[in-house]
Amino acid sequence: MKKFNFRKVLDGLTASSPVSGSSSGSNSGGGAGSGSVHTGGTAGILREEIQETLTSEYFQICKTVRHGFPYQPTALAFDPVQKILAIGTRTGAIRILGRPGVDCYCQHESGAAVLQLQFLINEGALVSASSDDTLHLWNLRQKRPAILHSLKFNRERITYCHLPFQSKWLYVGTERGNTHIVNVESFILSGYVIMWNKAIELSTKTHPGPVVHLSDSPRDEGKLLIGYENGTVVFWDLKSKRAELRVYYDEAIHSIDWHHEGKQFMCSHSDGSLTLWNLKSPSRPFQTTIPHGKSQREGRKSESCKPILKVEYKTCRNSEPFIIFSGGLSYDKACRRPSLTIMHGKAITVLEMDHPIVEFLTLCETPYPNEFQEPYAVVVLLEKDLIVVDLTQSNFPIFENPYPMDIHESPVTCTAYFADCPPDLILVLYSIGVKHKKQGYSNKEWPISGGAWNLGTQTYPEIIITGHADGSIKFWDASAITLQMLYKLKTSKVFEKQKVGEGKQTCEIVEEDPYAVQMIYWCPESRIFCVSGVSAYVIVYKFSRHEITAEIVSLEVRLQYDVEDIITPEPETSPPFPDLSSQLPSSRSLSGSTTTVASEGVTKDSIPCLNVKTRPVRMPPGYQAELVIQLVWVDGEPPQQITSLAVSSAYGIVAFGNCNGLAVVDFIQKTVLLSMGTIDLYRSSDLYQRQPRSPRKNKQFIADNFCMRGLSNFYPDLTKRIRTSYQSLTELNDSPVPQELERCKSPTSDHVNGHCTSPTSQSCSSGKRLSSADVSKVNRWGPGRPPFRKAQSAACMEISLPVTTEESRENSYNRSRSSSISSIDKDSKEAITALYFMESFARKNDSTVSPCLFVGTSLGMVLIISLNLPSADEQRFTEPVMVLPSGTFLSLKGAVLTFSCMDRTGGLMQPPYEVWRDPNNIDENEKSWRRKLVMNCPSPSQEIGDHQYTIICSEKQAKVFSLPSQTCLYVHNITETSFILQADVVVMCNSACLACFCANGHIMIMSLPSLRPMLDVNYLPLTDMRIARTFCFTNEGQALYLVSPTEIQRLTYSQEMCDNLQDMLGDLFTPIETPEAQNRGFLKGLFGGSGQTFDREELFGEASAGKASRSLAQHIPGPGGIEGMKGAAGGVMGELTRARIALDERGQRLGELEEKTAGMMTSAEAFSKHAHELMLKYKDKKWYQF
């Protein structure tokens, strides 16, 4: 963690002689780089009035809970008494689930895949077997499970484990065919070993293969059934240490399951067959069936099918047994989906699944294997889902899953997090969303109901919003570290469905998922919701409780403006606003060709990427589309992705921008107020004067760029190519690239996996061969200078694509504009990266606040646009709104990420908003209705001076300006070697602070307005751009990101929540009495029955079995021993205090008990003495002398 030492800043600074004090923090471990704070300028009186209350003691980073489906699952286990479920994954994670609210995440430090899980039933412990041949014992009697013991096998690979009910001896099968036995209490290997060559017959010359099954007989615990891969099954007598019987089959075995009486067992094989074996006649199967095989003539073997990977044989007292298996379908049905087959009597039911089956378990009423099992449900673990089938109903319905396992129903493309929302929002959204829930679920309660969970002390409303690749948006209730879906909105319903063959003609920007959500903006107070999509559209939604049928209003905006750098610009020959009509359109591409993007020979122009529905559309209660805004093609050039979005319900205005310019739209009057290129926003005060040019006609290669690799990671079989600002980099193919276009080193770029991830880097090539004309063009630009560059927003990055980068943009700040070198370093496009509506001071001489739009660009420039709104509320619907650049410019280093404002007392100012009113409420009188606005203006003051702070954060630094003087009060250089991915001004403990997430994994918190660093933790190295795309901060010390394609990780940077987290988590283990075994009766036990129980301790203990070889396995003590048990006692200081008081009271009582014991001992000695004297006195007397 980086430490900062600040020098004291002298007071009484004046505007004529500003003094700055700065300090640099040491850079630890490639951290965020050196940080510095500069103060100075006027408004010293304003600065002294603010007392900052936040200190470093308020902050601590801690993971809280993980939501969603476990990514890449591999194993499944269930405790039938505690009724909790465990899922292991390929990344070494374990998720333990119980009743809603009981959801625990554990992680093996090695990261090795989990092969198998075994509960110690009703003991509060779990055994996991990993692919690195290590066994781990987890303690579940604490809210955060910890490893108590580990056992590492050195010479053999673990293939199967079995732990009998109420036993402390674990059977471990290996790849060599041997079976070892482990004491789960001490995790010490027993000397008792079943070698494969002793288990099989001596006449057998081939190795039986790995152990694929181990189970003790339900009838006799002293008999062990061992299944080998090649089809050999051995019934081993543990006492006599010999094989009692052997079974051979010519097909490989995948699984085995016992009949509860212990007289028969069933095997599943690789040819799709099931064999039932009787212990009395092991020479051949008692019954052989191929459930899905075609029936053949008598005497001929049935046709083989796909392997049956697992079978379970469960008996019922009042009906036929259940035979449940996965796989086994016929080979001629190649297109059929993965299935689970349920055989009950003569009925065969095939349940088709949406994803491949990883594992399944049958839930039974009893944990005892020698009783009627009475199955009531089947838990099916799929690759991307978890379902539970109800076996008690004939149609086998599924249970409604209470966990948020469908986050990834469509790949998540963006997230938003809102803490401390209006309390009525969750109830309103739930009441609307519950009407659209699916039907047909089982009417019984969710069977995984173990654990205990209570609401914590922090119960403020929290809402998470996720945008998805199919255009859907989901609202989730995230209060009290739980997650439940409230409402689902489908943005694709406002567009016409694309017919087959029209995709290439109407939407050439993207090949798949044209409705993918890219950005979200939500105002919880006014319930205005705005979304931008990958196909360059913006939709404004309003919330209503009533269903309506109306036409969707749409607007088309031309926002295509490009400029070209001048090698040797001269002020007199480079006017800032030349006549655009004199600019001839260039049709030359990078490859030197002169082709243009055309459809049927006609150049595309003024065509949107998607078609909005023109007929009246029925809109159910909830969010209803108010306005659709689409960017259109211009002269054969597709619209660029939207990089910034903001909405003001109080002003009735939506603003969005991309790398070409800015658009401002009035969604009340449905008119375009401003559509201007970035260069025009500067007017004549452009700090980087660039000559405008007409749009390039040949942008055919752009349709192949802008790939969203996060989607193709989730669907490896598909190539999700989506143009999005989150990955707007040029893709390079395998064609050779000239040396001039090689990657240039940049001091501001981070390299992950050998690729540049800096948002200030630019793409330069389409990967095609350059013609001779292009080579000369490259030489004209100079060595190492690409002929095509783009300005990228802070979110424009992708680590999976090799890209070409340029020199750091910050170097150009110190260069003269007249230099020919600096003109080459400048970006050819300046993207709009941040937008913010606020009541503020647009100019230096303003005395009162007015509606303003803050605009941040990828070059670190901040422009303030003045909004002139009608004064009267009635005129707002008819009078025009004036939008004009104010001429005010502020500058930072790096692309601008976020804005915020504070009043002179240090309170965070919220943007103005309109109080929500149902737009379709027919009960209210239209004439009496007026818009209720909450403006949040600074408090009026008679003093002359500044009245407002403006906080601006870029990808490199943060600045605090005082308005209206526009004096820079504080500057903090957050990073020099990396760049910020996400920055937000948040409220914690009723005070504002700046939270930043850096590309090198650092999370930093700074106080406001002084920008004092209060937290700098190297939390998470950026290894996946999914994290960068979805990381977001919110109030009350909360944050989240998409840790995998299927899971959301929530974390907190609040010390208070870290202290209270132990109380908020659920208990995995609750004291429950183990159910008693059924009384089998005298005759049943005598003639048919249960075998004698034998002492496993006597058989496997060190006294009789000896010690195992030290080189075979190594015992590793776990970190969850005493420390973990102490942590389970409670994480709150109050509990510790009560524990100390209880200990003192116990000590006092022990002292009193000790005194009483001493008194009793003294009395006993006196009594003994008197008794002895009395005995001596009457020793020699006869009986008649008494």
Side-chain angles (χ1 to χ4, degrees):
M1 183 175 182
K2 188 171 57 180
K3 298 181 179 179
F4 291 82
N5 298 318
F6 288 92
R7 301 175 183 176
K8 294 183 178 180
V9 181
L10 297 178
D11 296 331
L13 303 181
T14 61
S16 59
S17 58
V19 181
S20 66
S22 64
S23 66
S24 298
S26 58
N27 192 7
S28 59
S34 61
S36 61
V37 174
H38 304 275
T39 64
T42 59
I45 298 177
L46 176 62
R47 199 165 55 240
E48 292 176 358
E49 292 178 357
I50 297 180
Q51 298 293 329
E52 296 181 358
T53 59
L54 292 178
T55 61
S56 58
E57 286 76 17
Y58 283 82
F59 300 95
Q60 181 183 345
I61 296 292
C62 177
K63 292 182 180 179
T64 55
V65 68
R66 182 173 294 199
H67 302 297
F69 180 77
Y71 184 54
Q72 295 179 332
T74 55
L76 185 68
F78 182 73
D79 188 327
V81 179
Q82 288 290 322
K83 295 189 182 300
I84 56 177
L85 187 77
I87 301 174
T89 70
R90 193 178 302 174
T91 58
I94 298 177
R95 287 280 294 281
I96 304 174
L97 304 171
R99 67 176 67 248
V102 179
D103 188 343
C104 181
Y105 169 80
C106 315
Q107 176 68 48
H108 293 90
E109 291 184 0
S110 63
V114 178
L115 297 179
Q116 195 174 352
L117 295 171
Q118 286 277 324
F119 275 105
L120 277 68
I121 296 177
N122 204 26
E123 296 292 337
L126 175 71
V127 175
S128 62
S130 303
S131 60
D132 59 351
D133 307 310
T134 305
L135 298 174
H136 305 275
L137 178 64
W138 294 84
N139 178 22
L140 305 184
R141 296 193 177 218
Q142 55 194 64
K143 293 190 175 183
R144 287 191 177 272
I147 295 177
L148 296 175
H149 302 281
S150 297
L151 188 66
K152 169 72 174 176
F153 281 77
N154 297 323
R155 295 184 299 181
E156 297 192 51
R157 306 295 305 273
I158 299 174
T159 57
Y160 195 87
C161 298
H162 171 65
L163 181 64
F165 178 49
Q166 294 181 329
S167 171
K168 67 176 184 178
W169 297 95
L170 175 71
Y171 301 108
V172 181
T174 67
E175 193 176 25
R176 293 185 179 181
N178 303 325
T179 301
H180 301 275
I181 302 172
V182 178
N183 188 325
V184 293
E185 290 182 351
S186 61
F187 246 53
I188 296 177
L189 198 63
S190 171
Y192 192 109
V193 183
I194 304 174
M195 306 299 292
W196 68 271
N197 52 358
K198 294 183 179 180
I200 65 174
E201 289 184 343
L202 297 177
S203 59
T204 305
K205 298 182 180 180
T206 58
H207 191 279
V211 175
V212 296
H213 178 82
L214 291 169
S215 62
D216 54 339
S217 170
R219 190 179 185 185
D220 187 354
E221 296 176 351
K223 307 292 177 62
L224 183 67
L225 193 68
I226 308 174
Y228 295 95
E229 189 180 53
N230 71 340
T232 302
V233 180
V234 176
F235 195 52
W236 183 264
D237 190 331
L238 294 170
K239 292 182 180 178
S240 61
K241 298 182 180 180
R242 65 180 182 84
E244 186 171 305
L245 61 86
R246 298 179 179 88
V247 167
Y248 298 98
Y249 195 70
D250 54 0
E251 293 291 341
I253 292 178
H254 286 279
S255 68
I256 303 175
D257 199 18
W258 280 101
H259 187 280
H260 81 276
E261 293 181 349
K263 299 177 181 180
Q264 296 177 337
F265 61 88
M266 181 174 289
C267 303
S268 68
H269 300 277
S270 58
D271 63 344
S273 64
L274 296 174
T275 56
L276 183 64
W277 299 83
N278 196 319
L279 296 182
K280 293 183 178 180
S281 56
S283 59
R284 60 185 179 87
F286 175 76
Q287 182 181 356
T288 302
T289 58
I290 301 181
H292 295 295
K294 293 182 179 179
S295 59
Q296 302 288 343
R297 295 179 180 177
E298 295 183 1
R300 296 184 59 184
K301 185 178 179 180
S302 299
E303 180 186 5
S304 61
C305 297
K306 296 178 181 179
I308 296 179
L309 301 179
K310 183 177 181 179
V311 64
E312 292 203 349
Y313 188 21
K314 303 301 178 184
T315 56
C316 302
R317 186 180 300 274
N318 300 320
S319 65
E320 296 291 329
F322 280 90
I323 299 175
I324 306 171
F325 60 89
S326 61
L329 296 179
S330 176
Y331 280 106
D332 61 351
K333 298 179 181 179
C335 297
R336 288 191 63 172
R337 295 184 293 180
S339 64
L340 183 78
T341 303
I342 301 176
M343 300 174 62
H344 189 210
K346 295 183 180 180
I348 300 179
T349 305
V350 179
L351 304 179
E352 291 188 344
M353 305 296 170
D354 294 331
H355 310 285
I357 298 175
V358 176
E359 176 69 286
F360 74 89
L361 286 175
T362 305
L363 308 187
C364 302
E365 296 289 350
T366 176
Y368 294 94
N370 57 355
E371 298 177 356
F372 283 101
Q373 299 300 289
E374 302 293 345
Y376 60 89
V378 179
V379 180
V380 187
L381 179 64
L382 309 178
E383 279 191 0
K384 296 185 177 82
D385 201 1
L386 176 72
I387 64 172
V388 181
V389 181
D390 186 357
L391 294 180
T392 61
Q393 301 183 38
S394 58
N395 58 341
F396 302 126
I398 65 173
F399 290 87
E400 184 177 4
N401 198 329
Y403 313 127
M405 293 291 183
D406 57 345
I407 293 176
H408 62 284
E409 183 179 12
S410 176
V412 178
T413 55
C414 62
T415 58
Y417 193 7
F418 300 87
D420 204 8
C421 305
D424 60 331
L425 266 181
I426 292 179
L427 183 60
V428 169
L429 290 173
Y430 179 78
S431 62
I432 297 297
V434 73
K435 300 177 182 178
H436 304 285
K437 279 193 173 183
K438 297 180 180 179
Q439 304 297 326
Y441 292 110
S442 173
N443 55 7
K444 294 192 174 182
E445 293 184 358
W446 181 252
I448 306 169
S449 57
W453 178 76
N454 297 315
L455 286 173
T457 57
Q458 297 176 339
T459 57
Y460 48 81
E462 298 176 72
I463 292 179
I464 294 174
I465 304 177
T466 56
H468 300 265
D470 63 351
S472 62
I473 296 169
K474 295 180 180 180
F475 292 76
W476 305 84
D477 177 13
S479 306
I481 68 172
T482 61
L483 195 69
Q484 180 184 9
M485 195 174 80
L486 299 172
Y487 172 70
K488 183 177 180 180
L489 174 67
K490 295 182 179 180
T491 62
S492 59
K493 288 188 175 182
V494 304
F495 300 105
E496 297 284 359
K497 291 183 179 180
Q498 293 184 0
K499 298 180 181 179
V500 179
E502 287 187 356
K504 286 291 182 180
Q505 298 178 9
T506 60
C507 184
E508 295 188 9
I509 298 182
V510 292
E511 294 180 2
E512 296 179 31
D513 294 328
Y515 309 112
V517 178
Q518 186 178 3
M519 302 184 74
I520 290 172
Y521 193 99
W522 188 44
C523 178
E525 290 79 11
S526 64
R527 302 185 188 178
I528 289 290
F529 185 71
C530 191
V531 57
S532 69
V534 72
S535 298
Y537 66 82
V538 173
I539 307 177
V540 180
Y541 288 93
K542 286 188 176 181
F543 188 84
S544 175
R545 297 175 182 267
H546 304 279
E547 178 180 321
I548 63 170
T549 300
E551 293 186 0
I552 301 175
V553 181
S554 63
L555 293 176
E556 295 180 357
V557 178
R558 294 173 65 91
L559 193 61
Q560 195 78 10
Y561 194 78
D562 208 352
V563 294
E564 184 176 8
D565 291 336
I566 304 301
I567 297 179
T568 55
E570 298 294 339
E572 60 274 8
T573 60
S574 301
F577 298 99
D579 185 8
L580 293 181
S581 61
S582 63
Q583 303 291 327
L584 296 178
S586 172
S587 61
R588 197 160 193 71
S589 68
L590 288 178
S591 60
S593 63
T594 58
T595 58
T596 60
V597 179
S599 176
E600 299 180 357
V602 180
T603 301
K604 284 191 175 184
D605 188 70
S606 301
I607 300 175
C609 299
L610 300 172
N611 296 322
V612 180
K613 291 180 179 179
T614 56
R615 63 183 182 279
V617 178
R618 185 186 70 86
M619 301 181 189
Y623 276 103
Q624 300 167 350
E626 177 77 6
L627 177 65
V628 179
I629 310 164
Q630 289 184 285
L631 297 181
V632 297
W633 290 66
V634 179
D635 295 334
E637 189 171 343
Q640 298 297 309
Q641 294 260 306
I642 295 171
T643 57
S644 57
L645 176 67
V647 183
S648 174
S649 58
Y651 305 154
I653 293 176
V654 57
F656 59 92
N658 60 10
C659 62
N660 290 326
L662 172 69
V664 181
V665 177
D666 184 346
F667 64 81
I668 293 180
Q669 299 185 24
K670 311 295 189 299
T671 58
V672 179
L673 303 177
L674 178 71
S675 176
M676 187 177 292
T678 311
I679 184 68
D680 293 333
L681 296 175
Y682 290 101
R683 293 178 173 264
S684 59
S685 304
D686 184 13
L687 303 182
Y688 312 113
Q689 293 185 13
R690 292 150 293 189
Q691 183 178 6
R693 66 176 182 180
S694 61
R696 292 183 297 272
K697 285 189 176 181
N698 191 348
K699 276 291 188 73
Q700 188 172 4
F701 67 93
I702 290 184
D704 296 329
N705 300 335
F706 309 101
C707 302
M708 180 174 287
R709 293 303 178 93
L711 304 186
S712 58
N713 289 339
F714 186 81
Y715 293 125
D717 54 331
L718 300 176
T719 305
K720 299 284 181 182
R721 304 175 58 83
I722 296 183
R723 287 182 62 239
T724 164
S725 66
Y726 298 109
Q727 286 85 22
S728 56
L729 296 178
T730 303
E731 184 179 16
L732 305 180
N733 58 22
D734 296 331
S735 302
V737 180
Q739 185 176 2
E740 288 80 8
L741 299 182
E742 290 294 331
R743 182 185 291 108
C744 303
K745 299 297 182 181
S746 172
T748 62
S749 63
D750 279 9
H751 292 268
V752 181
N753 299 332
H755 305 311
C756 176
T757 63
S758 172
T760 58
S761 61
Q762 289 80 40
S763 54
C764 68
S765 173
S766 64
K768 301 179 180 179
R769 289 183 179 271
L770 298 184
S771 63
S772 58
D774 292 305
V775 173
S776 63
K777 186 175 181 179
V778 170
N779 295 332
R780 177 174 66 86
W781 280 80
R785 303 297 178 187
F788 172 69
R789 296 193 297 271
K790 284 185 180 179
Q792 307 272 337
S793 71
C796 302
M797 47 202 148
E798 173 63 66
I799 62 174
S800 62
L801 299 179
V803 298
T804 302
T805 63
E806 293 186 43
E807 291 185 357
S808 169
R809 191 183 289 122
E810 67 179 276
N811 295 337
S812 63
Y813 284 90
N814 299 324
R815 296 182 180 178
S816 172
R817 189 59 196 164
S818 62
S819 170
S820 62
I821 299 179
S822 66
S823 65
I824 298 176
D825 289 338
K826 297 303 172 186
D827 298 303
S828 61
K829 286 188 178 181
E830 185 174 3
I832 306 298
T833 58
L835 296 168
Y836 182 69
F837 287 100
M838 193 61 199
E839 292 283 311
S840 186
F841 302 91
R843 300 170 184 84
K844 281 188 177 183
N845 55 359
D846 286 353
S847 58
T848 59
V849 295
S850 61
C852 296
L853 172 62
F854 288 76
V855 180
T857 73
S858 58
L859 292 183
M861 296 302 299
V862 176
L863 304 88
I864 302 179
I865 294 180
S866 179
L867 308 175
N868 188 1
L869 301 172
S871 57
D873 186 63
E874 296 80 5
Q875 297 176 351
R876 178 63 185 87
F877 298 90
T878 57
E879 296 296 324
V881 177
M882 302 299 294
V883 179
L884 294 173
S886 65
T888 299
F889 305 103
L890 307 173
S891 65
L892 288 85
K893 185 164 51 176
V896 178
L897 299 181
T898 188
F899 299 96
S900 191
C901 287
M902 300 175 69
D903 58 24
R904 61 182 302 147
T905 63
L908 188 64
M909 297 175 58
Q910 299 297 334
Y913 64 89
E914 177 188 359
V915 178
W916 176 78
R917 169 192 174 272
D918 196 331
N920 304 317
N921 194 348
I922 59 177
D923 297 333
E924 293 186 11
N925 189 355
E926 293 291 339
K927 297 181 180 180
S928 62
W929 173 76
R930 293 177 60 88
R931 300 175 70 216
K932 298 179 182 179
L933 305 181
V934 179
M935 302 308 294
N936 295 323
C937 299
S939 57
S941 175
Q942 300 298 327
E943 299 179 6
I944 299 176
D946 293 336
H947 304 283
Q948 191 182 66
Y949 288 108
T950 296
I951 301 102
I952 309 173
C953 184
S954 72
E955 64 184 15
K956 290 293 182 180
Q957 64 180 190
K959 286 186 178 182
V960 176
F961 294 89
S962 63
L963 298 180
S965 68
Q966 300 178 10
T967 304
C968 181
L969 297 179
Y970 302 95
V971 181
H972 179 58
N973 294 320
I974 301 175
T975 177
E976 296 291 343
T977 61
S978 184
F979 57 93
I980 299 172
L981 296 169
Q982 181 67 32
D984 285 295
V985 175
V986 295
V987 175
M988 198 174 102
C989 300
N990 297 321
S991 297
C993 59
L994 177 64
C996 301
F997 176 59
C998 202
N1000 55 19
H1002 282 244
I1003 291 179
M1004 292 159 284
I1005 309 293
M1006 283 149 281
S1007 68
L1008 291 176
S1010 64
L1011 296 176
R1012 289 182 297 106
M1014 292 182 291
L1015 179 72
D1016 187 352
V1017 176
N1018 189 2
Y1019 169 75
L1020 180 70
L1022 184 62
T1023 56
D1024 195 330
M1025 291 313 300
R1026 184 187 304 106
I1027 300 173
R1029 189 175 68 244
T1030 57
F1031 198 102
C1032 53
F1033 295 97
T1034 189
N1035 298 332
E1036 307 300 337
Q1038 305 284 348
L1040 66 80
Y1041 59 93
L1042 201 67
V1043 68
S1044 72
T1046 62
E1047 295 170 291
I1048 289 177
Q1049 177 66 58
R1050 292 168 66 180
L1051 63 139
T1052 181
Y1053 48 91
S1054 167
Q1055 178 69 56
E1056 181 183 3
M1057 186 168 184
C1058 290
D1059 294 338
N1060 297 330
L1061 183 60
Q1062 199 73 19
D1063 294 335
M1064 302 173 67
L1065 298 175
D1067 292 305
L1068 298 174
F1069 178 81
T1070 54
I1072 301 175
E1073 291 187 5
T1074 302
E1076 296 182 359
Q1078 296 179 4
N1079 187 3
R1080 297 174 62 86
F1082 175 76
L1083 296 178
K1084 186 75 173 179
L1086 182 63
F1087 296 104
S1090 59
Q1092 291 181 334
T1093 59
F1094 76 105
D1095 190 357
R1096 291 189 177 93
E1097 180 69 31
E1098 180 182 352
L1099 189 60
F1100 302 142
E1102 185 177 339
S1104 58
K1107 293 184 178 181
S1109 173
R1110 292 184 178 180
S1111 61
L1112 182 60
Q1114 176 186 2
H1115 177 261
I1116 306 171
I1122 299 177
E1123 292 79 3
M1125 298 302 293
K1126 288 181 179 179
V1132 186
M1133 295 302 296
E1135 291 188 8
L1136 294 177
T1137 304
R1138 289 192 294 270
R1140 293 192 188 99
I1141 295 174
L1143 287 175
D1144 293 340
E1145 293 176 352
R1146 181 173 180 269
Q1148 184 178 357
R1149 289 194 296 268
L1150 287 175
E1152 295 174 355
L1153 181 62
E1154 185 177 358
E1155 293 176 358
K1156 292 180 181 180
T1157 304
M1160 292 177 64
M1161 290 180 64
T1162 304
S1163 300
E1165 290 177 358
F1167 177 78
S1168 175
K1169 182 179 179 181
H1170 290 305
H1172 184 68
E1173 292 175 354
L1174 187 62
M1175 184 269 295
L1176 293 177
K1177 180 178 179 181
Y1178 295 103
K1179 178 180 181 182
D1180 298 330
K1181 290 185 178 183
K1182 303 296 183 179
W1183 62 272
Y1184 53 85
Q1185 294 178 339
F1186 290 96

